[in-house]
Every structure is written in structure tokens, then in C-alpha cells.
Amino acid sequence: VNQILLLLLVLTVCAILYNKVHQVPLALRNETVDLESPEEMEEEIPVVICAAAGRMGAAVAAISSIYSNTEANVLFYILGLKTTIPHIRKWIENSKLKEIKFKVVEFNPMVLKGKIRQDASRPELLQPLNFVRFYLPLLIQKHEKVIYLDDDVIVQGDIQELYNTKLAPGHAAAFSDDCDLPSTHEMVRSVGMQNTYMGFLDYRKQAIRDLGISPSTCSFNPGVIVANMTEWKHQRITKQLEKWMQRNVEENLYSSTLGGGVATSPMLIVFHGKYSSINPMWHIRHLGWSPDARYSEQFLQEAKLLHWNGRYKPWDYPSVHTDLWENWFIPDPSGKFKLTRPDS
């Protein structure tokens, strides 16, 4: 009996010593992994950009400008139609952009069936990819916070700064007000750009008047969005936007108005009084509204983001401040996309 007890005592002591010896290296190994992989701990910044047929060079220039001006861990979601996806993928993989982190996502235009009223005055505004921003939670599912950018932008600042935009509790998105930057007011007046709800909604219609929104209310531009996906889903923002798209098909509430942006108007309705603000320098707009009106060069150099919203795009002619855009353009390796210039 004594021998058995002695044997049990020896085995117990050995087990205790074994555990102590092996616990320390395990803890050290775990700590080493954490120290050696800081990139895995770094927050990913999802940026959504559309690559539409005929203007893929715009998406490429926008991506190039973002990637070149940040050290942040950016993941680009590039939205396209089935017919355009192979082109944009080859463009990226065969240029200096091959080092970016990106996912190409196909947008199915069938989700828009019966929701878009045809408008011959601005047919380009009816392209399916203009409505990608309505469906962000369905397309980008694993992120809490997302940046959406129109393709006709150039980012001169660090995208991390835009991503850090604070959204107030209960707000699903942040935008830039069209009245928020005094230095742009002269530009707005000179080119006739609309910056109030009157320019986007038809106040002759009872459904619009019933909203109780003053026509002089300052509008916002949804070409740059910082969105909270949890709030977006909780408030059923996509369903609300689709409701107003459907009502416009039935009642023509905004398609023929002066503003013309059929993707802007439903957002103005749904987000009225319920959005946070983006720093004005992170969305300098109206560069594409007129081929004649120009900002000062000093002002544009200080801007964080430039947006050629309007008819006159920097890859076409005529347009303004094309040099600032072309700095970031990467030629199409396939030669399909070409810039339009006076001497071309």
C-alpha cells in the first residue's frame, strides 16, 4: 500500500511540473503572434465604387487617388454589371493597381424592375449602377461602416479621415450639405446649380407637399456617403427608398425637375433631417456642372475630395480642372477606354 501511495505522489508531482513548464511557452507563443501580425488587427476600410461601361477610367482614377494618398487598410468593393466586370478586373490586374485589395461584385439590375421612370432628358442618370448606393447592406455584408463614392471623384486626402467621420446615434448615413461651404456659393450661382429641395422635388405634387419639407431646405449630395450598415438595416432604408422610387413611377414626383438626379431625390426624402455631416472639404462639388466656371487653384489644392458632378466629366471634352483628375488616371491596358481631348 505504501508503495502505491508513493507512486501516486510521484505521478502527481510530475504532472504539476509538466503543466508549469509547458504553460509559459504557450503564453509566449500567443503573445508573439499578436506582436508579429499588426496588420490583422488593423481596421479594414471598405470603399464602394461603381465601374460602369463607358466610364471605367473614372473608377480607376478614383481608386488610384485613394490608394496613393493613404496608408490605411483599404478594401475596394468594385460594383459592375456582368458585361463590364471582366474589363475592370483586367485593367486592375494589369496595371500598378494590382497591389490593391479589392473585390469585384456583380450588381443585378433586375432589382430595379418597375422602379425607375424613364426620363429622356437625362438617360445617363437611369443607368442601373446609379442605384447601387440604395442597396449597400445587400451588397456589402460583413462591415459595420462603409464609404460609398461616385466614380467621378478624386481623393486628395487620407481616406482614413473620411472614414473617421462620426455619425450621430440613430443616423444611418453622413453627407455633405449643398449649402455648407461659403467658397462654393459663387460657383453654384454662376452655373445655376440647384442646392435646395426645390431643385429636386416637384412641389406641384400633393405627395411632395404632404412631406412638410420647405422647398428652400438645403439639399445634400449623395455622391459621397459614410454609412452605418446596422442603422441602415434597422431603419429599412432600402425599403423606404424603393417605396419612393415606386411612387415616382406612378406619380412623376421628381424625374422631370430641374435637378434631374433620379437617384438623389428619394434619398433627399428618406434622409431628411436624419443624417450626420461630412467635413465640407471632403466633398468639393459642381466641377462638372459647367465647362466654364472654375474654382481657384489654391482652393482646389487644399480640398480633400473633388467631385465632377454634372454633365461635363474630366475624361471628356469640354471640362474644367482636368489636370487634377488626369494626375491619377491610369491608361487602359486594353486600349478600349480613351480620354477625349481637343487634339484627339
Side-chain angles (χ1 to χ4, degrees):
V1 174
N2 290 337
Q3 288 179 341
I4 292 173
L5 291 173
L6 181 61
L7 179 61
L8 290 174
L9 180 62
V10 170
L11 290 173
T12 302
V13 171
C14 288
I16 293 171
L17 290 174
Y18 179 85
N19 286 334
K20 286 188 175 181
V21 168
H22 284 79
Q23 279 176 356
V24 173
L26 182 62
L28 287 176
R29 284 199 298 274
N30 287 340
E31 187 174 346
T32 301
V33 169
D34 290 340
L35 291 173
E36 289 179 351
S37 57
E39 289 186 3
E40 294 180 9
M41 306 292 290
E42 187 179 1
E43 186 173 16
E44 205 167 53
I45 299 179
V47 176
V48 179
I49 296 180
C50 295
R55 47 193 291 163
M56 286 191 194
V60 166
I63 292 169
S64 172
S65 68
I66 295 166
Y67 180 66
S68 301
N69 287 305
T70 188
E71 296 294 327
N73 182 23
V74 179
L75 173 60
F76 292 97
Y77 283 88
I78 303 171
L79 275 291
L81 302 181
K82 187 175 183 178
T83 54
T84 61
I85 283 176
H87 186 186
I88 191 66
R89 187 186 294 278
K90 287 182 180 178
W91 196 332
I92 291 172
E93 292 176 348
N94 292 283
S95 71
K96 65 180 182 180
L97 291 180
K98 61 187 176 184
E99 297 178 356
I100 70 171
K101 291 172 59 179
F102 74 101
K103 293 182 180 180
V104 177
V105 181
E106 180 183 344
F107 181 67
N108 185 354
M110 289 304 295
V111 300
L112 302 172
K113 187 176 181 180
K115 300 183 182 74
I116 301 177
R117 184 185 183 89
Q118 297 303 310
D119 188 349
S121 64
R122 296 292 301 278
E124 73 276 11
L125 297 176
L126 305 179
Q127 297 301 315
L129 293 179
N130 281 341
F131 301 91
V132 159
R133 70 199 91 186
F134 289 15
Y135 298 94
L136 290 176
L138 303 179
L139 299 165
I140 316 299
Q141 297 179 358
K142 71 171 188 173
H143 301 281
E144 169 72 11
K145 197 175 186 182
V146 172
I147 294 174
Y148 167 87
L149 299 176
D150 276 355
D151 60 0
D152 51 356
V153 306
I154 288 296
V155 175
Q156 300 185 138
D158 186 341
I159 198 73
Q160 179 78 57
E161 186 180 328
L162 179 60
Y163 185 75
N164 290 342
T165 298
K166 293 189 182 303
L167 275 66
H171 285 178
F175 307 97
S176 289
D177 286 323
D178 282 329
C179 309
D180 60 9
L181 202 58
S183 52
T184 68
H185 292 176
E186 184 177 345
M187 166 75 96
V188 170
R189 287 192 297 269
S190 67
V191 301
M193 180 70 186
Q194 296 300 307
N195 64 354
T196 66
Y197 273 59
M198 175 65 83
F200 295 90
L201 304 179
D202 189 347
Y203 277 83
R204 295 170 300 179
K205 302 296 173 66
Q206 188 62 44
I208 297 300
R209 294 197 299 271
D210 287 346
L211 291 169
I213 302 173
S214 169
S216 61
T217 300
C218 184
S219 56
F220 58 81
N221 186 300
V224 176
I225 308 172
V226 181
N228 180 311
M229 295 292 93
T230 299
E231 281 295 336
W232 193 292
K233 289 182 281 190
H234 175 70
Q235 298 178 32
R236 297 169 61 86
I237 296 295
T238 297
K239 288 295 183 184
Q240 292 187 58
L241 292 168
E242 287 185 325
K243 183 191 87 169
W244 284 103
M245 292 170 74
Q246 189 67 50
R247 290 198 66 175
N248 182 59
V249 170
E250 299 165 357
E251 304 174 49
N252 193 20
L253 301 176
Y254 51 76
S255 287
S256 299
T257 54
L258 189 57
V262 292
T264 297
S265 300
M267 298 198 82
L268 291 177
I269 295 171
V270 171
F271 284 101
H272 174 252
K274 296 184 292 186
Y275 65 91
S276 298
S277 296
I278 291 174
N279 182 325
M281 294 303 286
W282 267 101
H283 196 176
I284 303 304
R285 305 175 286 289
H286 317 318
L287 276 74
W289 200 254
S290 166
D292 302 313
R294 302 177 66 92
Y295 287 111
S296 76
E297 291 297 329
Q298 180 180 352
F299 175 69
L300 293 181
Q301 292 294 338
E302 295 172 355
K304 305 286 189 177
L305 182 147
L306 306 175
H307 188 185
W308 279 264
N309 58 308
R311 295 174 183 264
Y312 302 96
K313 304 302 185 184
W315 55 90
D316 280 334
Y317 180 83
S319 57
V320 297
H321 303 296
T322 55
D323 55 324
L324 294 174
W325 181 88
E326 207 166 331
N327 283 339
W328 306 106
F329 175 68
I330 299 171
D332 182 0
S334 73
K336 295 178 183 176
F337 182 93
K338 294 181 174 64
L339 303 181
T340 302
R341 295 294 180 255
D343 54 352
S344 63

